[in-house]
Amino acid sequence: MIVIMRADATKEEILKLKGKIEMEDCRVSVVQGEKHCILGLVGDTTKIDPSKIEANEFVERVTKVQQPYKLANKLFHPHDTVIKVNDKTIGGDKLAVIAGPCSVESEEQIVEIAKTVKESGAGFLRGGAFKPRTSPYSFQGLKQQGLELLKIARQETGLPIVTEIMSADVIDEFERDVDIIQVGARNMQNFELLKQLGKTTKPILLKRGLSATIEELIMSAEYIMSEGNENVILCERGIRTFETYTRNTLDLSAIPAIKRLSHLPVIVDPSHAAGMWWMVEPLSKAAVAVGADGLIIEVHNDPENAKCDGQQSIKPERFDSLMKDLVVIANIGKKSV
Amino acid sequence: MIVIMRADATKEEILKLKGKIEMEDCRVSVVQGEKHCILGLVGDTTKIDPSKIEANEFVERVTKVQQPYKLANKLFHPHDTVIKVNDKTIGGDKLAVIAGPCSVESEEQIVEIAKTVKESGAGFLRGGAFKPRTSPYSFQGLKQQGLELLKIARQETGLPIVTEIMSADVIDEFERDVDIIQVGARNMQNFELLKQLGKTTKPILLKRGLSATIEELIMSAEYIMSEGNENVILCERGIRTFETYTRNTLDLSAIPAIKRLSHLPVIVDPSHAAGMWWMVEPLSKAAVAVGADGLIIEVHNDPENAKCDGQQSIKPERFDSLMKDLVVIANIGKKSV
Amino acid sequence: MIVIMRADATKEEILKLKGKIEMEDCRVSVVQGEKHCILGLVGDTTKIDPSKIEANEFVERVTKVQQPYKLANKLFHPHDTVIKVNDKTIGGDKLAVIAGPCSVESEEQIVEIAKTVKESGAGFLRGGAFKPRTSPYSFQGLKQQGLELLKIARQETGLPIVTEIMSADVIDEFERDVDIIQVGARNMQNFELLKQLGKTTKPILLKRGLSATIEELIMSAEYIMSEGNENVILCERGIRTFETYTRNTLDLSAIPAIKRLSHLPVIVDPSHAAGMWWMVEPLSKAAVAVGADGLIIEVHNDPENAKCDGQQSIKPERFDSLMKDLVVIANIGKKSV
Amino acid sequence: MIVIMRADATKEEILKLKGKIEMEDCRVSVVQGEKHCILGLVGDTTKIDPSKIEANEFVERVTKVQQPYKLANKLFHPHDTVIKVNDKTIGGDKLAVIAGPCSVESEEQIVEIAKTVKESGAGFLRGGAFKPRTSPYSFQGLKQQGLELLKIARQETGLPIVTEIMSADVIDEFERDVDIIQVGARNMQNFELLKQLGKTTKPILLKRGLSATIEELIMSAEYIMSEGNENVILCERGIRTFETYTRNTLDLSAIPAIKRLSHLPVIVDPSHAAGMWWMVEPLSKAAVAVGADGLIIEVHNDPENAKCDGQQSIKPERFDSLMKDLVVIANIGKKSV
């Protein structure tokens, strides 16, 4: 940690602050610049709260040197994490493709889509049972019944199932029934939920919040990991910017950034990012080209009658032809589907 | 709702979509422009899901005419809501000032600050017991013990207490012990929590999410109200933008905007917005000048040793002189403290 | 154009506004909804100024139906534009790769880099002579001398040269000496410069402004085209968002969006987007995968001693291996280098 | 300047970089942390180009200690600048109010509005002659003729005139005829124009770009000042964010921030910020309450027929009543109109 003092800080104030910091078991190096004095904090700075230092009126600002996460930090765990999900894996040299409808609507629908996407090469089935909706008057999902239908689709196809959890009170059912538990963008900093998920044994698919920085996303993974569950898959799904043509702006730079900062696998959701079905194919290819470990794509056999997000779902035949292109691009990055 | 068809939509496709929409009990007016055909949907469009219409490949885009909220909508409830909290009110011609430390640290601390801010004219006491922190390794609040200390401070001063809830499992304690239950920015779209709070009888202070639009903030209030609890106080606390000098960008335009769209009271949190103690005073004055119904301000007797957010807390003496200026500005807007 | 009236607009006010609009040679269809009345404007709405209508206090808001650009609009020019530059082309089934240093530093430097990038397959040479710098104290480029050195490099390699113009007073030299004239992000809405460039005969490479929407970028192309020069190449180079890990956020969704809205070719600048050399390769691959018509990449033989932007330049050997991967990805999109 | 080395930087690489930096007349202090080594650069770091250092692959990142501006820096010029304009001043203990129409339309219009706003207490007259418009098909202003009309209005009222310059080729006329030369948001980083304006003797009103940081705004002032003209007035006019209800988000935190960083006066444009006439009054009051040195407000006697931006202009009677409130709020901050 580096503390930059104000130009008008007196020697006395600087020494007072130095002494205070050293009482927390840190060593402090003082570098006197032309105008500003700089304090370099050496040692275990994890106990130091930067906001306390910034509360000192002679402090200009505080800069962190080290990333605030440990368990998710590539610095301490240089090997990329590969997560086992039943007989499949996410991370490493495999491209994981998760496909399925926005929400589970009926047994017929989910089983049919599951069979189709499996045939095209998808490795996992997605489908919403509990749906976070901006409006309380919108369809909120089939809930427990949706989970049951996902289980049927899994039985029929063998595909592991991925679905979103919205509150901690159903965590036992999710741990028992679901193969990958998804945390949505809106709950990325629902810290109580993250802590509870940290106590489960199932892989967690953690989506980046609409305005979360890369560091905050990794910190939310750290919340889960710090409770014992180290199987976290990160997911870039578009961030909120001033551009309104697309629903969100897919931040593909986040993929190489996360790969440099963390050992956790990271996948991309092109469907929610753009919010328009005709963008899903080009963005999926770009995501694989940039180095993502996988994709989560909305596929629906009848988008115009889908109960939610039909505008961003692609039809099975487009998904099928997309998969063929993805295989070629994945190969360039030494990945296979 | 207005549907703008693509320029290449055939007459047949337009009629097909028109027919489909009319099956949902809506009347459709067709306006044929030079290039684009427009469908105006008349009647109760609440059952219409725009994303289904947008899934039609001949649709360019869908534009809403009416705001998607009802209970919070000024159009249907033209009179401003005034919320009763014990013997005090929020909204109308009163300026509500909520003050206190970021987090409750000890009985001595919270009682002393409570007495001081009351003397300066604050009407409510704030203090965090459950603290949402970006890092799992940061101080997470005194939790239940913090609630107990807040109750002591209330007993000593008579000030109603405001504190943040982070998960639904403590909702009974909050409903029993707390006067105004706060929902933090990170939980603004924790819809399960909102629904549970909608079943309580206590006023809810709902903070705007870091990247929430004004409409989304009001929709989150609608979630609470749709479950029966109409006592919602909105709070602008800064949004995330590209500017990094301040922690967030306080969006004071949101105040007149919300006042035009909704009848709910709206207050401002200048402490979290800027993240710097020396900005709290000017931003507080601006918030009152722009027409806010109140303020929630962090005041700490010893910011450099505060357990959290010391850098954005002001000292009691500054709070005291600030209150004097606020009274004058409030008067211009026909409000009294 | 669609005008949504306020719920409290009287019939009289609506008719008054209708009459006023019809005086501008537009037909107005009135659709009366439950609460709001909607006016659909049919005919040539280009003369209508929406801000005048919005100044009416009974108007809620005005929504455009048609894009405000014509010459750049795919609706009126369905075939993609292919731009000839000497013996090369940009757009269509070719992937154009523009490479070279941030700034021209010496004859030796620019000629050497030009030869190397040509050998690796680049089709065009970039190099800054006039440099827009945030600080007046930074290196501002070799200016006219830089142009001369670029011409030497062109003579040595046959590569057409691309360089940035910063003010209209050097437009004659640029038209005479340069093959593609670049307008930087900061000047995207320097309308006087755009108009002057519209009178030249050279292709213009127009970079998206840091916070320009896709529509504004195309409108700036329209400025150039409306003066007679229809050879405009658009360039996505990252937008400004809240994320600070990367310098800007590369918005790859803009590529399919622009391809849908306009017939102009669009390329990507991965170097300025991320601002970090190790991101250039993955982002370049993603840009080609998403469907860009080309790339503009900073390549420097000695980045640590580059006079500007060394941190985002890649070395010739990395550029060479990158080109091999790009050929494969381009093929998927039916493009050749 | 502080250089944070990567954790995997060897001692040798660190010493090599240290040696290279010291060759530029800087002293380097090495602070060895647990994982990362930190280099503190002491001395005149203005010649050091951080991007060269960041090009070193063993460098994690570079952090500036001192602001990159000098002439505009409060650190070196602690007294607030007061700018003389004819017999009036901007900055210090005066609140400067600039009012007038978006664009000059006719002699009658500009003279009438000038007289009205003067009567209400405005000290300066604004009016656009050269208009930057997003569309090449929109009204572009009366240009030279507009300047002539402004001069007539000045003669009739004595109010100094403020109008926008869009290109350097009319700089002589502006220097001769205009009292304060305005640089619009879109040209904030038109560095060639800034340099030319730096050679004039007239005060420059520099508007913040839509996505410019506070530091970049001050750096653009530095461009003007470094050429000799130190009379720069900064202007906050709203920044681009994700919120679409308002046209831009007025960043009032920028006022106290700029006052801390620079000695230059700073004013607020509430009209362009919100883009809606009914927000101008509350935002004006907030701007004065937060400590701005002045306001620039669009006033039009007939907004519905204004040639541009009628939707954000207020009528003279509203301006008059607003001025009365502003006087009271200005007094709290020890300013008089």
Side-chain angles (χ1 to χ4, degrees):
Chain A
M1 204 174 289
I2 297 163
V3 180
I4 300 170
M5 303 299 298
R6 282 176 61 85
D8 59 2
T10 61
K11 197 149 196 170
E12 204 190 329
E13 287 295 341
I14 293 168
L15 288 177
K16 215 169 98 187
L17 181 62
K18 179 174 183 286
K20 198 170 155 188
I21 295 169
E22 285 176 336
M23 280 171 59
E24 312 249 14
D25 287 335
C26 258
R27 203 154 42 77
V28 177
S29 288
V30 179
V31 180
Q32 180 61 53
E34 220 177 343
K35 283 271 168 188
H36 298 270
C37 179
I38 298 158
L39 309 184
L41 277 56
V42 179
D44 180 14
T45 58
T46 50
K47 279 180 253 158
I48 310 280
D49 180 352
S51 73
K52 277 193 197 180
I53 300 179
E54 282 177 338
N56 183 310
E57 62 181 307
F58 294 101
V59 168
E60 179 87 23
R61 68 200 149 86
V62 175
T63 291
K64 284 177 305 184
V65 170
Q66 209 163 295
Q67 302 299 349
Y69 39 85
K70 289 164 195 220
L71 301 171
N73 198 329
K74 192 154 195 170
L75 193 56
F76 305 115
H77 306 76
H79 295 295
D80 284 343
T81 289
V82 177
I83 292 174
K84 266 188 70 79
V85 187
N86 305 352
D87 62 331
K88 298 203 166 61
T89 57
I90 296 187
D93 56 5
K94 283 285 177 195
L95 183 80
V97 179
I98 305 167
C102 173
S103 66
V104 181
E105 297 168 19
S106 68
E107 179 176 333
E108 198 191 351
Q109 175 240 24
I110 192 68
V111 171
E112 186 188 324
I113 297 178
K115 285 180 178 170
T116 325
V117 299
K118 186 190 179 185
E119 216 161 287
S120 300
F124 305 82
L125 176 67
R126 62 150 291 150
F130 296 82
K131 299 297 307 170
R133 304 303 298 271
T134 309
S135 166
Y137 310 120
S138 299
F139 172 62
Q140 310 265 324
L142 294 182
K143 302 185 180 173
Q144 270 77 2
Q145 193 200 335
L147 286 188
E148 292 307 315
L149 299 179
L150 280 170
K151 284 160 68 180
I152 296 173
R154 175 174 56 194
Q155 203 167 359
E156 295 277 327
T157 59
L159 293 182
I161 55 179
V162 184
T163 198
E164 179 170 349
I165 194 165
M166 283 176 63
S167 70
D169 60 348
V170 289
I171 219 163
D172 291 341
E173 289 159 79
F174 269 70
E175 185 166 15
R176 187 188 62 220
D177 291 343
V178 170
D179 300 301
I180 301 178
I181 305 175
Q182 178 181 322
V183 177
R186 291 179 179 87
N187 279 315
M188 192 201 86
Q189 291 194 321
N190 181 342
F191 298 125
E192 290 305 312
L193 180 59
L194 299 182
K195 282 187 205 168
Q196 295 302 317
L197 290 169
K199 290 172 188 147
T200 68
T201 56
K202 287 292 172 73
I204 309 298
L205 174 56
L206 179 66
K207 288 194 153 190
R208 182 180 183 183
L210 258 76
S211 65
T213 61
I214 292 168
E215 183 173 305
E216 287 169 343
L217 171 60
I218 302 178
M219 281 309 282
S220 284
E222 187 86 6
Y223 253 99
I224 299 168
M225 297 170 87
S226 71
E227 297 287 338
N229 184 352
E230 303 210 351
N231 292 317
V232 181
I233 303 150
L234 304 174
C235 180
E236 159 63 32
R237 46 78 73 213
I239 56 173
R240 191 159 267 186
T241 70
F242 63 83
E243 177 60 67
T244 55
Y245 188 81
T246 40
R247 186 189 292 173
N248 298 290
T249 298
L250 185 63
D251 177 13
L252 286 180
S253 322
I255 308 304
I258 290 171
K259 292 242 152 255
R260 195 176 176 94
L261 297 168
S262 177
H263 53 92
L264 295 173
V266 54
I267 70 169
V268 169
D269 177 345
S271 309
H272 281 84
M276 293 180 283
W277 58 268
W278 54 271
M279 277 214 184
V280 171
E281 286 163 87
L283 292 179
S284 295
K285 292 181 205 171
V288 176
V290 92
D293 292 306
L295 291 166
I296 177 163
I297 300 180
E298 289 195 3
V299 178
H300 199 286
N301 46 1
D302 184 12
E304 289 180 52
N305 292 306
K307 288 221 167 168
C308 82
D309 282 352
Q311 87 290 351
Q312 72 195 30
S313 299
I314 58 171
K315 293 185 183 169
E317 48 274 25
R318 298 192 85 99
F319 178 69
D320 191 64
S321 82
L322 171 61
M323 284 300 288
K324 293 188 175 63
D325 287 345
L326 295 183
V327 168
V328 181
I329 301 175
N331 280 343
I332 294 172
K334 315 260 176 280
K335 273 187 159 65
S336 63
V337 178
Chain B
M1 206 174 288
I2 296 163
V3 179
I4 300 170
M5 303 298 298
R6 282 175 61 84
D8 60 2
T10 62
K11 196 149 196 169
E12 205 189 329
E13 288 295 341
I14 294 168
L15 288 176
K16 217 170 96 187
L17 181 62
K18 179 174 183 286
K20 199 170 153 187
I21 295 169
E22 285 175 338
M23 281 171 58
E24 311 250 14
D25 287 335
C26 258
R27 202 155 43 75
V28 177
S29 289
V30 179
V31 179
Q32 180 60 54
E34 218 177 342
K35 284 271 167 189
H36 297 270
C37 179
I38 297 159
L39 309 184
L41 277 57
V42 180
D44 180 13
T45 57
T46 50
K47 279 181 253 157
I48 309 280
D49 179 352
S51 74
K52 277 193 198 181
I53 299 178
E54 281 178 338
N56 184 310
E57 61 181 308
F58 294 100
V59 168
E60 179 87 22
R61 68 201 151 84
V62 176
T63 292
K64 285 177 305 183
V65 170
Q66 210 163 295
Q67 301 300 348
Y69 39 85
K70 290 165 195 219
L71 302 171
N73 198 330
K74 191 153 196 170
L75 193 55
F76 306 116
H77 307 77
H79 294 295
D80 284 342
T81 289
V82 176
I83 292 175
K84 267 189 69 80
V85 186
N86 305 353
D87 62 331
K88 299 204 164 62
T89 57
I90 296 186
D93 56 4
K94 282 284 177 196
L95 183 80
V97 180
I98 305 168
C102 173
S103 67
V104 181
E105 297 167 20
S106 68
E107 181 177 331
E108 198 192 350
Q109 173 240 25
I110 191 69
V111 171
E112 185 188 324
I113 297 178
K115 286 180 176 169
T116 327
V117 297
K118 186 188 180 186
E119 216 161 287
S120 300
F124 305 82
L125 175 66
R126 62 150 291 152
F130 296 81
K131 298 297 307 170
R133 304 302 297 271
T134 308
S135 165
Y137 311 121
S138 299
F139 172 61
Q140 310 266 323
L142 294 182
K143 302 184 181 177
Q144 271 77 4
Q145 192 200 335
L147 286 189
E148 292 308 313
L149 299 180
L150 280 170
K151 284 160 67 179
I152 294 173
R154 174 174 57 196
Q155 204 167 357
E156 295 277 328
T157 59
L159 294 181
I161 55 179
V162 184
T163 196
E164 179 170 349
I165 194 166
M166 283 176 63
S167 71
D169 60 348
V170 289
I171 220 163
D172 291 341
E173 288 159 77
F174 269 70
E175 185 166 15
R176 188 190 60 218
D177 291 342
V178 170
D179 301 301
I180 300 178
I181 305 176
Q182 178 181 324
V183 177
R186 293 179 179 87
N187 279 315
M188 192 202 87
Q189 292 195 320
N190 181 341
F191 298 125
E192 290 305 313
L193 179 60
L194 299 182
K195 282 187 206 169
Q196 295 303 316
L197 290 170
K199 290 170 189 149
T200 67
T201 55
K202 287 291 172 73
I204 309 297
L205 174 56
L206 179 66
K207 288 194 153 189
R208 182 180 184 184
L210 258 75
S211 65
T213 61
I214 292 168
E215 183 174 304
E216 288 169 342
L217 171 60
I218 302 178
M219 282 308 282
S220 284
E222 187 84 8
Y223 253 99
I224 299 168
M225 297 169 86
S226 70
E227 297 286 339
N229 183 353
E230 304 210 351
N231 292 317
V232 181
I233 303 150
L234 304 174
C235 179
E236 159 63 31
R237 45 79 74 214
I239 57 174
R240 192 160 265 186
T241 70
F242 64 84
E243 177 60 66
T244 54
Y245 187 81
T246 40
R247 187 190 290 172
N248 299 289
T249 298
L250 186 63
D251 177 13
L252 286 179
S253 321
I255 308 304
I258 289 171
K259 292 240 151 257
R260 194 175 177 95
L261 297 168
S262 178
H263 53 92
L264 296 174
V266 54
I267 69 169
V268 169
D269 176 345
S271 308
H272 281 85
M276 293 180 285
W277 59 268
W278 52 272
M279 277 214 183
V280 171
E281 286 163 88
L283 292 179
S284 295
K285 293 180 203 170
V288 176
V290 93
D293 293 306
L295 291 166
I296 177 164
I297 300 180
E298 289 193 3
V299 178
H300 200 288
N301 46 1
D302 184 12
E304 288 180 52
N305 293 305
K307 288 221 167 171
C308 84
D309 281 352
Q311 87 290 352
Q312 72 195 29
S313 299
I314 58 171
K315 293 185 184 169
E317 48 274 25
R318 298 194 84 98
F319 177 69
D320 191 65
S321 81
L322 170 62
M323 284 299 290
K324 294 187 173 64
D325 286 345
L326 296 182
V327 168
V328 181
I329 302 175
N331 281 343
I332 295 173
K334 315 258 176 283
K335 274 188 159 63
S336 63
V337 178
Chain C
M1 205 174 288
I2 296 163
V3 179
I4 300 169
M5 303 298 299
R6 282 176 60 85
D8 59 2
T10 61
K11 198 152 196 168
E12 205 189 330
E13 288 294 342
I14 293 167
L15 288 176
K16 215 169 99 187
L17 181 61
K18 178 174 183 287
K20 199 172 155 186
I21 295 169
E22 285 175 337
M23 279 171 60
E24 312 248 15
D25 288 335
C26 258
R27 202 154 44 76
V28 177
S29 288
V30 180
V31 179
Q32 180 60 55
E34 218 177 343
K35 283 272 167 187
H36 297 270
C37 179
I38 297 159
L39 309 184
L41 278 56
V42 179
D44 179 14
T45 57
T46 51
K47 281 181 251 157
I48 309 279
D49 180 353
S51 74
K52 278 193 197 180
I53 300 179
E54 281 177 338
N56 184 309
E57 61 182 308
F58 295 101
V59 168
E60 178 88 24
R61 68 199 150 88
V62 176
T63 292
K64 286 177 305 184
V65 171
Q66 210 164 296
Q67 302 298 348
Y69 39 85
K70 290 166 194 217
L71 301 171
N73 198 329
K74 192 154 195 169
L75 193 56
F76 305 115
H77 306 77
H79 295 294
D80 284 343
T81 289
V82 176
I83 292 174
K84 265 188 70 80
V85 186
N86 305 353
D87 62 331
K88 299 205 164 63
T89 58
I90 296 186
D93 55 6
K94 283 285 178 194
L95 182 80
V97 180
I98 305 167
C102 173
S103 67
V104 181
E105 296 168 20
S106 68
E107 181 178 331
E108 198 191 350
Q109 175 240 23
I110 191 70
V111 172
E112 186 189 323
I113 297 178
K115 285 181 177 169
T116 326
V117 298
K118 186 189 179 185
E119 217 161 286
S120 301
F124 305 82
L125 176 67
R126 62 150 291 153
F130 296 82
K131 299 296 308 169
R133 304 302 297 273
T134 308
S135 165
Y137 311 120
S138 299
F139 173 61
Q140 310 264 323
L142 294 182
K143 303 186 180 172
Q144 271 77 3
Q145 192 200 336
L147 286 188
E148 292 308 313
L149 299 180
L150 280 170
K151 283 158 70 179
I152 294 173
R154 173 173 58 194
Q155 205 168 355
E156 295 276 328
T157 58
L159 294 181
I161 54 179
V162 185
T163 196
E164 179 170 351
I165 194 165
M166 283 176 63
S167 70
D169 61 349
V170 289
I171 219 163
D172 292 341
E173 288 159 80
F174 269 70
E175 184 166 18
R176 188 188 61 219
D177 290 342
V178 170
D179 300 302
I180 300 178
I181 306 176
Q182 178 181 322
V183 177
R186 292 179 178 88
N187 279 314
M188 192 201 87
Q189 291 194 320
N190 181 341
F191 299 125
E192 290 304 312
L193 179 61
L194 299 181
K195 282 186 204 168
Q196 295 303 317
L197 291 169
K199 290 171 188 148
T200 68
T201 56
K202 287 292 172 69
I204 309 298
L205 174 57
L206 179 66
K207 288 194 153 188
R208 182 179 184 184
L210 259 75
S211 66
T213 62
I214 291 167
E215 183 174 303
E216 287 169 343
L217 171 60
I218 302 178
M219 282 308 282
S220 285
E222 188 85 7
Y223 253 98
I224 299 168
M225 297 170 87
S226 70
E227 297 286 338
N229 184 352
E230 302 209 352
N231 292 316
V232 182
I233 303 149
L234 304 174
C235 180
E236 160 63 32
R237 45 79 74 214
I239 57 173
R240 191 160 267 186
T241 70
F242 64 82
E243 178 59 68
T244 55
Y245 187 81
T246 40
R247 186 190 292 173
N248 298 290
T249 298
L250 186 64
D251 177 13
L252 286 179
S253 322
I255 308 303
I258 289 171
K259 293 241 151 255
R260 195 177 177 95
L261 297 168
S262 177
H263 52 91
L264 296 174
V266 54
I267 69 170
V268 169
D269 177 346
S271 309
H272 281 85
M276 292 181 284
W277 59 268
W278 54 270
M279 277 213 183
V280 172
E281 287 164 87
L283 292 179
S284 295
K285 292 181 205 172
V288 176
V290 93
D293 292 307
L295 292 166
I296 178 164
I297 300 180
E298 289 195 4
V299 177
H300 200 288
N301 46 1
D302 184 11
E304 287 180 53
N305 292 306
K307 288 219 167 170
C308 83
D309 281 352
Q311 88 290 353
Q312 72 195 29
S313 299
I314 57 171
K315 293 185 183 168
E317 49 274 25
R318 298 193 84 100
F319 178 68
D320 191 66
S321 81
L322 171 62
M323 283 300 289
K324 294 188 175 63
D325 286 345
L326 296 182
V327 168
V328 181
I329 301 175
N331 281 344
I332 295 172
K334 313 260 176 281
K335 273 187 160 62
S336 63
V337 178
Chain D
M1 204 174 288
I2 296 163
V3 179
I4 300 169
M5 303 300 297
R6 282 176 60 84
D8 59 3
T10 61
K11 198 151 196 170
E12 205 190 329
E13 288 294 342
I14 294 167
L15 288 176
K16 216 170 98 186
L17 181 61
K18 178 173 184 287
K20 201 171 152 184
I21 295 169
E22 285 175 337
M23 280 171 60
E24 312 247 16
D25 287 335
C26 258
R27 204 156 40 77
V28 177
S29 288
V30 180
V31 179
Q32 180 61 55
E34 216 176 347
K35 282 272 166 188
H36 298 270
C37 179
I38 297 159
L39 309 184
L41 278 56
V42 179
D44 179 13
T45 58
T46 51
K47 281 181 250 158
I48 308 280
D49 180 353
S51 74
K52 278 193 197 180
I53 299 179
E54 281 177 338
N56 184 310
E57 61 181 310
F58 295 101
V59 168
E60 179 87 23
R61 67 200 152 87
V62 175
T63 292
K64 286 178 304 184
V65 171
Q66 209 163 295
Q67 302 299 348
Y69 39 85
K70 288 162 196 226
L71 301 171
N73 198 329
K74 192 154 196 170
L75 192 56
F76 305 114
H77 307 77
H79 295 295
D80 283 344
T81 288
V82 177
I83 293 175
K84 265 188 70 80
V85 187
N86 305 352
D87 62 329
K88 298 203 164 61
T89 57
I90 296 186
D93 56 4
K94 282 284 178 194
L95 183 81
V97 180
I98 304 168
C102 173
S103 67
V104 181
E105 296 168 20
S106 69
E107 181 176 332
E108 199 192 350
Q109 174 240 24
I110 191 69
V111 171
E112 186 188 323
I113 297 178
K115 285 180 176 168
T116 327
V117 298
K118 186 189 179 184
E119 216 161 287
S120 300
F124 305 82
L125 176 67
R126 62 151 290 152
F130 297 82
K131 298 296 309 168
R133 304 302 298 271
T134 308
S135 166
Y137 311 120
S138 298
F139 173 61
Q140 310 266 323
L142 295 181
K143 301 184 182 175
Q144 271 77 5
Q145 192 199 334
L147 286 188
E148 292 307 315
L149 299 180
L150 280 170
K151 283 158 69 178
I152 294 173
R154 174 174 57 194
Q155 204 167 358
E156 295 278 328
T157 59
L159 293 181
I161 54 179
V162 185
T163 196
E164 179 170 350
I165 195 165
M166 283 177 63
S167 70
D169 60 349
V170 290
I171 219 164
D172 291 342
E173 288 160 78
F174 269 70
E175 185 166 15
R176 189 189 59 219
D177 291 343
V178 171
D179 300 302
I180 300 179
I181 305 176
Q182 178 181 323
V183 177
R186 292 178 179 87
N187 279 314
M188 192 201 87
Q189 291 194 320
N190 181 341
F191 299 123
E192 291 304 313
L193 180 61
L194 299 182
K195 282 186 205 168
Q196 295 302 317
L197 290 169
K199 291 170 186 148
T200 68
T201 55
K202 288 291 172 71
I204 309 298
L205 174 56
L206 179 67
K207 288 194 154 188
R208 182 179 183 184
L210 259 74
S211 65
T213 61
I214 292 168
E215 183 174 305
E216 288 169 343
L217 171 60
I218 302 178
M219 281 308 281
S220 284
E222 187 86 6
Y223 253 99
I224 299 167
M225 298 170 86
S226 70
E227 298 286 338
N229 183 352
E230 303 209 351
N231 292 317
V232 182
I233 303 149
L234 304 174
C235 180
E236 160 62 33
R237 45 78 75 213
I239 56 173
R240 192 159 266 185
T241 70
F242 64 84
E243 177 60 67
T244 55
Y245 187 81
T246 40
R247 187 191 291 173
N248 298 290
T249 298
L250 186 63
D251 177 14
L252 286 179
S253 322
I255 309 305
I258 290 171
K259 292 242 153 255
R260 194 176 177 93
L261 297 168
S262 177
H263 52 91
L264 296 173
V266 54
I267 69 170
V268 169
D269 176 346
S271 309
H272 281 85
M276 293 182 284
W277 59 267
W278 53 271
M279 277 214 183
V280 171
E281 287 163 87
L283 291 180
S284 296
K285 292 180 205 170
V288 176
V290 93
D293 292 306
L295 291 166
I296 176 164
I297 300 180
E298 289 194 3
V299 178
H300 200 287
N301 46 2
D302 184 11
E304 287 179 54
N305 293 305
K307 289 221 166 170
C308 83
D309 282 352
Q311 87 290 352
Q312 72 195 30
S313 300
I314 57 171
K315 293 186 183 169
E317 49 274 26
R318 298 193 85 97
F319 178 70
D320 191 64
S321 82
L322 170 62
M323 283 300 289
K324 294 188 174 63
D325 286 345
L326 295 183
V327 168
V328 181
I329 301 176
N331 281 343
I332 295 172
K334 314 259 176 281
K335 273 187 160 60
S336 64
V337 178

